[in-house]
Amino acid sequence: MTLGEGGSDEMPGAEPADGKLERLRGFFSQSGPVVVAFSGGVDSSLVAWAANDVLGDTALCVTAVSPSLATDEAADCAALAAEWGLAWQTVETDEMTRAAYRVNDADRCFHCKSALMDQLEPLAAARGATVVLGVNLDDLGDHRPGQHAARDRGARFPLVEAGFAKADVRAVSADLGLRTWDKPAAACLASRVPYGTQVTVPLLARLDRAEAALRRLGFGQLRVRDYGDTARIELPLDDLAEAVRRREAVVEAVRGVGYRYVTLDLEGFRSGNLNGALADGNCVVPAPSEAG
């Protein structure tokens, strides 16, 4: 069976999850060696596991380390690589040195993925391999210019080609017994910064510490959005009452990393919700002289 780059014509969920797993295995049986961009999230973890299962050491899993990667996520990548016996290494990406990235306009993710591909392409070329990313069908509907940056440079999206929506990724991961199946959705720390606010290393470090402090209180799925002195916390709706009940601990945790004001978003957790500013036309970008 030949898999087209556009993926399945069937609606997500129209076929059993085990059928999609076989299609994913089929992708790797035909792909030859691959370099997997492995962030430790539920999507890239399934891609890494399947690639390793089919290809063994000819699947190299690579974690990009930079200030935009949460400390907890970096540690979990190492743990998963050890647990699953992955051929794994880290690379350092330089997006923070790029003014076009730091200015944090609507194309920030493009520059981030370009920096990632700058590191992965030489590794792939040396191995005669293809770069693969953990993008699923649901991701295609959001504003994610990084996907275009990767695809334009030859990367492929095995989950898309095998017809996986996000729910399929979790269902198959659970069936396989992968502990990542219910891992909270993660994204780079820069996604917590409203468009038009410069991305800096201290800002990302503060966000990292704030979210880690809240996880130590037992909150799993969350985002801390940065608005200068104010932290806006997003939690699933079911967790809002618990956050209010533990208000003092929550405030102490977030103030302890440097925020003056701590707010709770009553709309709850929404992955990628800062992209709404693009649709509303409210994305204000600093002048070049302010971008550094």
Side-chain angles (χ1 to χ4, degrees):
M1 177 176 64
T2 301
L3 299 176
E5 182 141 5
S8 169
D9 324 341
E10 300 175 359
M11 294 294 290
E15 62 178 306
D18 57 356
K20 294 184 179 184
L21 176 58
E22 288 311 306
R23 292 174 68 176
L24 184 60
R25 292 182 189 273
F27 173 94
F28 289 116
S29 70
Q30 297 175 36
S31 69
V34 296
V35 171
V36 181
F38 178 49
S39 68
V42 61
D43 298 319
S44 70
S45 290
L46 178 58
V47 171
W49 184 92
N52 180 65
D53 187 56
V54 174
L55 296 171
D57 287 347
T58 61
L60 176 64
C61 300
V62 180
T63 299
V65 178
S66 76
S68 66
L69 179 67
T71 304
D72 290 347
E73 292 300 311
D76 202 37
C77 285
L80 288 168
E83 291 170 26
W84 296 344
L86 304 179
W88 175 74
Q89 70 176 76
T90 62
V91 294
E92 292 189 6
T93 53
D94 67 354
E95 65 268 23
M96 287 300 303
T97 69
R98 305 181 183 205
Y101 173 84
R102 298 194 308 273
V103 76
N104 194 22
D105 66 8
D107 290 329
R108 183 196 67 236
C109 291
F110 180 92
H111 303 297
C112 182
K113 279 296 187 292
S114 294
L116 173 64
M117 292 300 295
D118 285 348
Q119 296 299 316
L120 298 188
E121 281 181 332
L123 295 174
R127 301 167 69 91
T130 300
V131 175
V132 296
L133 275 67
V135 176
N136 68 64
L137 288 171
D138 293 331
D139 295 330
L140 301 181
D142 197 3
H143 174 75
R144 303 200 180 188
Q147 294 174 10
H148 301 292
R151 190 190 291 274
D152 289 349
R153 293 174 66 167
R156 295 178 68 181
F157 306 154
L159 296 175
V160 171
E161 297 192 37
F164 278 77
K166 190 72 169 188
D168 301 317
V169 175
R170 293 194 182 278
V172 168
S173 298
D175 288 345
L176 291 170
L178 306 184
R179 66 172 174 83
T180 51
W181 77 270
D182 64 346
K183 188 172 183 178
C188 78
L189 292 169
S191 68
R192 279 71 157 161
V193 184
Y195 292 113
T197 299
Q198 283 195 65
V199 176
T200 67
V201 172
L203 188 159
L204 296 178
R206 182 168 68 168
L207 285 166
D208 189 15
R209 295 195 303 272
E211 293 193 353
L214 291 173
R215 289 194 182 93
R216 287 194 293 272
L217 293 178
F219 297 102
Q221 184 69 79
L222 64 95
R223 293 286 186 271
V224 175
R225 310 290 186 186
D226 183 279
Y227 292 87
D229 285 343
T230 300
R232 177 165 62 79
I233 302 170
E234 295 179 13
L235 298 170
L237 294 176
D238 290 344
D239 288 345
L240 293 182
E242 177 67 7
V244 172
R245 188 183 71 80
R246 302 179 65 191
R247 177 183 63 84
E248 292 183 359
V250 169
V251 170
E252 181 181 358
V254 178
R255 277 188 175 170
V257 306
Y259 287 100
R260 176 170 297 185
Y261 306 107
V262 182
T263 65
L264 186 62
D265 190 326
L266 296 183
E267 290 189 78
F269 171 81
R270 288 99 68 213
S271 181
N273 85 71
L274 293 181
N275 288 339
L278 302 177
D280 296 341
N282 293 327
C283 176
V284 179
V285 180
S289 61
E290 298 172 340

